[in-house]
Amino acid sequence: AGSTKGASWLACIAWALATGVSVGLVMVAKHSGVIIAPIAVLLLLVRTWNVPRHLLPGYALRVIATIVVSVATMMVVIWGVYGFRYSAFAHLECNQWKSNWDAGLGSQHGKLQGVPALLVDFAKRYQLLPEAMLFGMSYAFLSTHSRACFLAGWHGTT
């Protein structure tokens, strides 16, 4: 029974590492991929419906460990892709750009508002994610609301 428990924990950690790497790479490759993280956690929690009640405490512990290892792995992957550097600029501080973040996103897209603005501001304040990633995610979110367009001599937004 002891080796089965050890194998179960080892399988849990292996899946957590694989999930963390996968979700981290998805988030780096596609800024709108940020939605995959809550979906992965939701799928993991949905799996608990099939667990017998007497096994639930042990399973819950494995779920918590899996989530912690997955999130930590995801963060290492994301930071690794960005060279473990917060600043969007490699060798210089671009204070003008940083002080005018919204202008950098483009006037056609407006300004982040509501929950996305709170999340990005929180992540910027505590440097939870690389600055370039936060900017890219902000741009991706804002560009879903309207896009500049041109047709037959007319300019507008869609």
Side-chain angles (χ1 to χ4, degrees):
S3 65
T4 305
K5 270 189 174 180
S8 173
W9 275 100
L10 188 59
C12 235
I13 298 302
W15 275 106
L17 291 171
T19 301
V21 169
S22 301
V23 171
L25 291 174
V26 165
M27 289 180 64
V28 168
K30 184 95 172 133
H31 290 303
S32 60
V34 71
I35 191 71
I36 194 71
I39 290 173
V41 171
L42 181 66
L43 289 174
L44 189 59
L45 293 175
V46 165
R47 170 73 172 86
T48 60
W49 293 141
N50 297 335
V51 177
R53 184 172 286 238
H54 69 283
L55 297 176
L56 203 52
Y59 185 78
L61 187 60
R62 284 196 304 268
V63 166
I64 291 168
T66 300
I67 290 171
V68 168
V69 170
S70 292
V71 169
T73 305
M74 175 192 72
M75 294 299 282
V76 168
V77 167
I78 290 170
W79 279 97
V81 167
Y82 284 93
F84 295 100
R85 183 184 73 234
Y86 174 74
S87 176
F89 299 95
H91 299 293
L92 59 111
E93 289 293 318
C94 187
N95 292 326
Q96 182 180 0
W97 180 77
K98 285 184 179 186
S99 66
N100 204 356
W101 175 284
D102 296 320
L105 292 173
S107 59
Q108 70 199 29
H109 299 301
K111 183 178 178 178
L112 274 180
Q113 297 175 346
V115 174
L118 293 174
L119 292 174
V120 168
D121 287 342
F122 182 79
K124 278 173 39 179
R125 183 177 317 118
Y126 296 105
Q127 297 184 358
L128 298 177
L129 292 169
E131 187 178 40
M133 183 176 188
L134 293 172
F135 186 83
M137 289 182 349
S138 298
Y139 182 83
F141 180 78
L142 286 173
S143 66
T144 61
H145 296 296
S146 69
R147 296 182 188 268
C149 62
F150 174 82
L151 179 64
W154 291 88
H155 294 271
T157 56
T158 59

